[in-house]
Amino acid sequence: MKENSMKKKVITIVISMAIVVLASLILSKVNPKKSASGEGAFSYAQDFYQNEKECYVDGSLVKEASVIKIPDSAKVMKLGDNAAKVCTIMGIAPEAFKDETQLEEVTIPATVKEIGKDAFLNCDNITKVTFLGTKEEWEKVDIAEGNESLTTVDVECK
């Protein structure tokens, strides 16, 4: 009798575990990581540079993105202009992604030469940073204070 009771408990545990695994698989398909990539997924600022062909990324337009891939250029329309100009992304503005706690992965183009103060402040869930330039180029990027989440992980360079 005790042996049957034990078998029932084991079967119940195994079935319960299978249900939990199946539910987590289904939920991961229903709620995939939100990704921000390309020019339309970000807002841009030109006021950091005198040159109209250069700009900064100053935030994501994708709410709660967990993966961001910053483009190397974007079409940006300056106030008062009739046409958008293609600008090279030269930096990331101060506080651009501040408090984006859901961020896990960041891809930065080789065109970025500067990352502003607190651009990634409180982004403690970042586990992967990819720089699309060389290691030597990454070492020359001026990374202001408040971006420890970028500097405490191994950066993959291309």
Side-chain angles (χ1 to χ4, degrees):
M1 201 78 153
K2 284 187 176 184
E3 198 172 310
N4 281 342
S5 175
M6 185 62 117
K7 283 181 182 180
K8 285 182 182 179
K9 285 182 181 179
V10 170
I11 290 171
T12 303
I13 291 171
V14 170
I15 290 172
S16 298
M17 290 174 65
I19 290 171
V20 169
V21 170
L22 184 60
S24 67
L25 287 172
I26 290 170
L27 288 175
S28 70
K29 300 291 183 195
V30 171
N31 192 13
K33 290 182 179 181
K34 288 187 182 177
S35 181
S37 64
E39 69 181 56
F42 299 95
S43 56
Y44 302 93
Q46 286 186 296
D47 57 330
F48 293 96
Y49 287 108
Q50 300 298 329
N51 183 342
E52 288 185 2
K53 296 190 181 234
E54 298 175 340
C55 63
Y56 273 60
V57 168
D58 72 354
S60 172
L61 299 177
V62 177
K63 292 183 180 185
E64 299 181 2
S66 55
V67 178
I68 61 171
K69 183 177 181 184
I70 299 169
D72 58 3
S73 65
K75 290 179 185 170
V76 178
M77 187 172 286
K78 197 172 183 179
L79 228 63
D81 281 352
N82 292 333
K85 293 183 172 88
V86 176
C87 296
T88 301
I89 308 300
M90 298 299 291
I92 300 171
E95 299 186 5
F97 301 103
K98 178 182 175 184
D99 297 326
E100 298 287 339
T101 57
Q102 69 285 349
L103 273 181
E104 296 175 15
E105 300 177 22
V106 179
T107 300
I108 301 170
T111 56
V112 168
K113 306 297 179 218
E114 181 179 0
I115 299 174
K117 183 176 189 235
D118 299 332
F120 291 93
L121 183 68
N122 299 325
C123 297
D124 300 329
N125 289 322
I126 294 176
T127 57
K128 182 179 180 183
V129 176
T130 303
F131 180 69
L132 299 178
T134 65
K135 183 104 171 133
E136 293 77 24
E137 289 172 316
W138 175 251
E139 290 169 356
K140 291 179 184 176
V141 174
D142 182 12
I143 303 174
E145 65 183 71
N147 293 300
E148 288 75 19
S149 57
L150 292 183
T151 59
T152 56
V153 298
D154 289 330
V155 177
E156 178 185 319
C157 296
K158 296 296 173 182

